[in-house]
DNA sequence: CCGTATCCTCTACGATACTG
DNA sequence: CAGTATCGTAGAGGATACGG
């Protein structure tokens, strides 16, 4: 077994911890878009077809709470809010890249399940 | 942006494809347990505290449908069924390892969110 | 950002068929 | 009766969509 297991019978594996952070209908997409650089809320929404504003905001806040994203509020009127990946969130980069690489191979391997 | 993006406005990113495969309350744990080697159904259930037989079977079959696992049925009575990671499923190994590594760091970094 | 409606995931409980 | 693998169904609860 690859290293990383913990004692027998434990309740929560490290792998589940990570999944709980990036879990959510749109979190993968959000993180991917932001890996380009900071984006404004409306800009993000337009770049993710199908997402509702409600879900975008909710997921954004959850990722901020997890320490992955940072919210920059210019405090101006009209409001100008940017979200960017935090320094800590950068450590997720290799994980996301790994997920993406496998996903592309999977789409080629089983086009029917590209979902 | 790290490579792997597809055209603007696309519906499904590679990263979401991967997440859709390993998504599910217990799939991470199941894959992790099986990375040790083949296991019987009841053996798996005992190794995952809290899972119900129903969910185990359901997730197991979903992973088989995705091509990640293989089901070996001895065809005997009483039934003896083993599940193992398919050759194709092995390609997920590095991804799972990456998820696990980050999860361990995250649990140290933010114990309150170890979930 | 909220209230409401809907959908879907997971859980709980039970049932099946057969053997030791 | 206990154990093995699987399925059916119903219900609670959470996730998501829609409209204001």
């Amino acid at each position: 077994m690859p290293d990383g297991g913990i004692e027998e019978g434990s309740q929560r594996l490290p792998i589940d911890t990570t999944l709980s952070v990036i879990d959510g209908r749109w979190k993968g997409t959000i993180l991917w878009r932001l890996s380009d650089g900071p984006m404004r809320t409306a800009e993000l929404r337009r770049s993710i077809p199908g997402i509702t504003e409600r879900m975008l905001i909710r997921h954004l806040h959850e990722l901020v709470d997890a320490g992955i994203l940072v919210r920059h509020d210019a405090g101006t009127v009209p409001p100008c809010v940017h979200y960017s990946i935090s320094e800590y969130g950068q450590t997720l980069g290799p994980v996301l890249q790994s997920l993406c690489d496998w996903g592309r191979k999977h789409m080629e391997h089983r086009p029917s399940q590209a979902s």
Side-chain angles (χ1 to χ4, degrees), chain A:
Chain A
M1 131 146 75
D3 187 26
I6 40 189
E7 350 70 68
E8 252 342 271
S10 69
Q11 298 287 347
R12 208 65 179 179
L13 263 29
I15 196 175
D16 293 311
T17 302
T18 307
L19 285 176
S20 72
V21 170
I22 58 182
D23 221 37
R25 176 71 180 77
W26 306 96
K27 278 187 194 158
T29 308
I30 292 173
L31 289 170
W32 194 256
R33 291 288 181 218
L34 284 175
S35 63
D36 250 348
M39 287 178 93
R40 295 188 57 175
T41 312
E43 193 182 2
L44 258 173
R45 176 172 44 72
R46 269 182 261 118
S47 79
I48 306 176
I51 197 174
T52 56
E53 204 124 19
R54 191 191 199 12
M55 277 301 102
L56 178 61
I57 297 290
R58 184 174 295 182
H59 283 160
L60 246 17
H61 289 349
E62 281 173 16
L63 289 168
V64 168
D65 288 346
I68 309 298
L69 299 185
V70 181
R71 195 184 109 111
H72 310 271
D73 189 339
T76 57
V77 174
C80 177
V81 178
H82 284 83
Y83 287 90
S84 64
I85 300 191
S86 70
E87 193 179 339
Y88 177 61
Q90 302 283 352
T91 64
L92 254 180
V95 180
L96 299 179
Q97 184 65 59
S98 152
L99 287 169
C100 181
D101 289 346
W102 192 87
R104 253 182 303 144
K105 282 189 245 155
H106 187 64
M107 289 196 290
E108 288 162 22
H109 194 72
R110 330 193 112 223
S112 61
Q113 295 185 9
S115 176

